[in-house]
Amino acid sequence: MTITSTSVVIVGTGIAGAWLAYRLAQRGIETVVISSEPVENTPAVSRQWAASVINRRLVQDDPDSTADLFEDASTTQHPELQPLVRRYFRPEFAELSQIVDFMPFHFALIPRHAVPVPRLGAGNEVVTAVLDKFISLGGKIIEGRVTHLNVADGVCRGLQFERNGEPHKLLCEALVLASGGFSGLFADSMTNNTGSLLGTFARCGGTLANLEFFKRFAFGDLTRRRLLYPQDLEEAHLYRDGERATWLYNAQTCYPPEKFDLEVFQTYWSRNFGVPHTAELASGSVSLGPIRGFSMGGIAHHQGVSNLSNVFATGEARHDLAVDYTTSLPWACYLASGGMLCDVLSQRSRTDCLQDFPLKPVPRALNVSLLSEVRRHLANFQDQRFSEKGALQFIAWCREVRKQMHCDGQQDDEDFDLLILAEAYTQSALVRTESRGYFFRADFPCTNSIMSNQYTCARYDIATDRVDVDMVVHDKELSKSHY
């Protein structure tokens, strides 16, 4: 049966989207989830690589005593994040525990298994179990590539998606973006998610925030774009420019786990980006370096509500998770966000009259060669090579390519939106004239105290085809609620 309308549409089948969908279905709210690939083959980090680790203190301690888990050297953490976790996490985790049994492992709780250690892929098992519950409650999952958001006068009425080359549309009362981050925009990333839907959101008038910050894991296999786990490093030999990397060996025992990645990034990598490093692993020799994991930026929001009416955000698509220590925290934040959004969406008034919109032609999918070019340009002015000249040249290149797309009638495909996001990131990095947290600029290697507690807000102006960025203090939240 073809679905043309529903109450809520959720884009994304990681734990954030799956959990919100399940909680809405429990309340009898008609919900459709859109997955860009077959659910059993979704390549999201939260499904294939995640071990579904949750910090035990969030369950056992007084919530007010866990603030140290959310320490934030960037000082850009969203002020709603900690109150959100304190209010919602425990009941949400209690509900999840009815679906998946968890067991203790040192500082964490992990899904119960015969092998009592964190397992890569356990996250996929948890999400699959949640989605099965969602479907059993009448929820629906659609495979499709979202191509357009139907936004008019700042109000979203639905979206268009493509499946097998054919266009389809969904009318809805609320659209939730749980589509993940955008670190795949960069060559030194362990994910493939380029975040073009964030560019689509911006093209429709949405505000993006905090784009310049990324979690940078200390040990990454840059050859195969994957994180190196402790078991990978047990028998590994690390080299700096052909010599034994003594500092990196010692660092593994010098810093506590919650400080390790940030300390190694700030103390070592920011001074050694230009020096070649290798790791001799059991599987062979690879290029070694810090690797991007979670993007700490995304959709600007207030209580999950974006500046576009009827558009909400959860998971990594929000810009909440500006924290230095992400191990065992993201899933807790996503569960809490799902609980909060379930309340918000349940309280909205229903309507029997959904506004239809015409189908547009199916745009082409992302051009892989363009993505490679974007990654090459970004690498040319990142970290130790950062220069305003290089960044401005890249912005000019993005605008020139988009101008040609306008002439070719391609201003609403993934390539165009990717270039909007790439410019928004670059403009945000230019505005932050300092180094802070995991953000590093060689031309401004020190922290600028004036920029403490400020985050970047990026907006795309369709009339001028350019992105403008401002520094904003958190207590001057620009987005408005549309309950």
Side-chain angles (χ1 to χ4, degrees), residues 68-135:
D68 60 302
L69 294 177
F70 296 87
E71 289 182 356
D72 171 30
S74 77
T75 73
T76 63
Q77 181 182 127
H78 199 295
E80 291 174 4
L81 180 62
Q82 293 185 50
L84 171 75
V85 174
R86 285 196 292 270
R87 177 179 176 183
Y88 282 98
F89 171 68
R90 287 190 180 187
E92 297 306 306
F93 181 70
E95 179 66 27
L96 177 61
S97 297
Q98 298 298 309
I99 301 174
V100 177
D101 189 21
F102 281 74
M103 64 181 184
F105 175 78
H106 296 305
F107 68 92
L109 294 168
I110 60 176
R112 187 170 296 281
H113 190 265
V115 181
V117 297
R119 297 176 298 112
L120 301 186
N124 182 58
E125 297 166 11
V126 174
V127 174
T128 298
V130 171
L131 289 175
D132 286 345
K133 287 286 188 179
F134 166 66
I135 292 172

Side-chain angles (χ1 to χ4, degrees), residues 76 78 149 177 179-182 185 194-214 295-302 305-308 311-314 316-320 402 416-429 431-432 454-461 466-474 476-480:
T76 63
H78 199 295
L149 305 184
L177 299 180
S179 49
F182 67 101
L185 194 69
T194 58
S196 59
L197 192 56
L198 291 176
T200 305
F201 172 78
R203 174 163 55 85
C204 293
T207 301
L208 302 176
N210 227 43
L211 297 181
E212 68 273 26
F213 284 102
F214 286 85
S295 53
M296 295 179 176
I299 292 172
H301 69 91
H302 171 61
V305 187
S306 77
N307 67 303
L308 296 184
V311 179
F312 302 76
T314 187
E316 198 180 344
R318 291 166 54 130
H319 77 283
D320 278 346
R402 291 203 304 267
F416 194 91
D417 294 341
L418 186 79
L419 291 170
I420 291 176
L421 180 60
E423 179 181 340
Y425 160 78
T426 307
Q427 294 276 25
S428 299
V431 168
R432 188 169 291 283
Q454 296 190 45
Y455 67 97
T456 51
C457 256
R459 302 172 186 81
Y460 173 70
D461 187 336
R466 61 180 295 146
V467 175
D468 295 307
V469 175
D470 296 312
M471 296 288 287
V472 180
V473 178
H474 267 302
K476 297 180 180 178
E477 198 67 59
L478 297 186
S479 54
K480 296 180 180 179

Side-chain angles (χ1 to χ4, degrees), residues 246-410:
T246 305
W247 194 96
L248 290 177
Y249 280 106
N250 295 336
Q252 296 180 69
T253 58
C254 288
Y255 301 112
E258 65 272 17
K259 299 292 184 181
F260 179 76
D261 291 305
L262 182 64
E263 290 286 354
V264 173
F265 181 84
Q266 291 183 327
T267 305
Y268 184 82
W269 286 119
S270 64
R271 294 168 172 79
N272 287 276
F273 272 116
V275 182
H277 288 71
T278 57
E280 296 293 339
L281 308 175
S283 56
S285 179
V286 300
S287 177
L288 176 70
I291 193 165
R292 292 176 199 264
F294 293 99
S295 53
M296 295 179 176
I299 292 172
H301 69 91
H302 171 61
Q303 295 186 344
V305 187
S306 77
N307 67 303
L308 296 184
S309 184
N310 299 337
V311 179
F312 302 76
T314 187
E316 198 180 344
R318 291 166 54 130
H319 77 283
D320 278 346
L321 204 60
V323 294
D324 306 322
Y325 178 47
T326 59
T327 302
S328 76
L329 289 180
W331 275 44
C333 297
Y334 302 161
L335 292 175
S337 179
M340 180 272 294
L341 274 180
C342 186
D343 282 349
V344 171
L345 294 171
S346 299
Q347 294 164 7
R348 284 165 53 93
S349 58
R350 306 271 81 85
T351 177
D352 295 325
C353 183
L354 294 174
Q355 185 174 326
D356 198 2
F357 58 93
L359 281 173
K360 294 183 179 181
V362 175
R364 67 182 184 181
L366 180 65
N367 184 337
V368 176
S369 63
L370 177 68
L371 175 58
S372 297
E373 189 73 0
V374 167
R375 286 174 173 169
R376 184 183 67 80
H377 279 287
L378 288 171
N380 283 339
F381 66 88
Q382 289 296 297
D383 300 322
Q384 85 281 6
R385 297 178 297 276
F386 201 104
S387 71
E388 289 195 5
K389 180 180 179 181
L392 290 172
Q393 287 176 340
F394 176 63
I395 291 170
W397 179 82
C398 287
R399 293 175 180 174
E400 185 60 33
V401 176
R402 291 203 304 267
K403 181 179 179 181
Q404 185 59 49
M405 288 180 178
H406 269 296
C407 296
D408 296 339
Q410 298 174 348

Side-chain angles (χ1 to χ4, degrees), residues 173-186:
E173 297 173 338
L175 171 64
V176 182
L177 299 180
S179 49
F182 67 101
S183 60
L185 194 69
F186 304 85

Side-chain angles (χ1 to χ4, degrees), residues 4-223:
T4 58
S5 66
T6 187
S7 179
V8 179
V9 173
I10 300 173
V11 182
T13 50
I15 185 59
W19 186 249
L20 174 59
Y22 166 66
R23 294 299 259 166
L24 289 172
Q26 281 185 309
R27 299 194 187 186
I29 297 176
E30 186 182 21
T31 304
V32 173
V33 175
I34 294 185
S35 175
S36 60
E37 295 188 25
V39 171
E40 66 273 11
N41 193 36
T42 301
V45 170
S46 61
R47 300 203 58 170
Q48 287 196 340
W49 297 350
S52 189
V53 177
I54 293 175
N55 197 290
R56 293 174 68 179
R57 289 180 54 197
L58 295 174
V59 178
Q60 299 172 342
D61 290 3
D62 179 345
D64 291 331
S65 70
T66 58
D68 60 302
L69 294 177
F70 296 87
E71 289 182 356
D72 171 30
S74 77
T75 73
T76 63
Q77 181 182 127
H78 199 295
E80 291 174 4
L81 180 62
Q82 293 185 50
L84 171 75
V85 174
R86 285 196 292 270
R87 177 179 176 183
Y88 282 98
F89 171 68
R90 287 190 180 187
E92 297 306 306
F93 181 70
E95 179 66 27
L96 177 61
S97 297
Q98 298 298 309
I99 301 174
V100 177
D101 189 21
F102 281 74
M103 64 181 184
F105 175 78
H106 296 305
F107 68 92
L109 294 168
I110 60 176
R112 187 170 296 281
H113 190 265
V115 181
V117 297
R119 297 176 298 112
L120 301 186
N124 182 58
E125 297 166 11
V126 174
V127 174
T128 298
V130 171
L131 289 175
D132 286 345
K133 287 286 188 179
F134 166 66
I135 292 172
S136 72
L137 293 171
K140 297 178 175 65
I141 300 177
I142 295 177
E143 179 187 337
R145 174 175 65 99
V146 176
T147 58
H148 301 92
L149 305 184
N150 180 41
V151 177
D153 299 323
V155 181
C156 181
R157 306 292 186 185
L159 58 77
Q160 183 175 319
F161 65 96
E162 172 264 330
R163 184 175 60 233
N164 299 326
E166 296 295 325
H168 304 270
K169 61 183 171 183
L170 266 174
L171 310 182
C172 62
E173 297 173 338
L175 171 64
V176 182
L177 299 180
S179 49
F182 67 101
S183 60
L185 194 69
F186 304 85
D188 58 335
S189 165
M190 66 179 193
T191 76
N192 293 317
N193 192 348
T194 58
S196 59
L197 192 56
L198 291 176
T200 305
F201 172 78
R203 174 163 55 85
C204 293
T207 301
L208 302 176
N210 227 43
L211 297 181
E212 68 273 26
F213 284 102
F214 286 85
K215 164 77 175 185
R216 305 286 286 272
F217 292 100
F219 291 113
D221 171 355
L222 301 181
T223 302

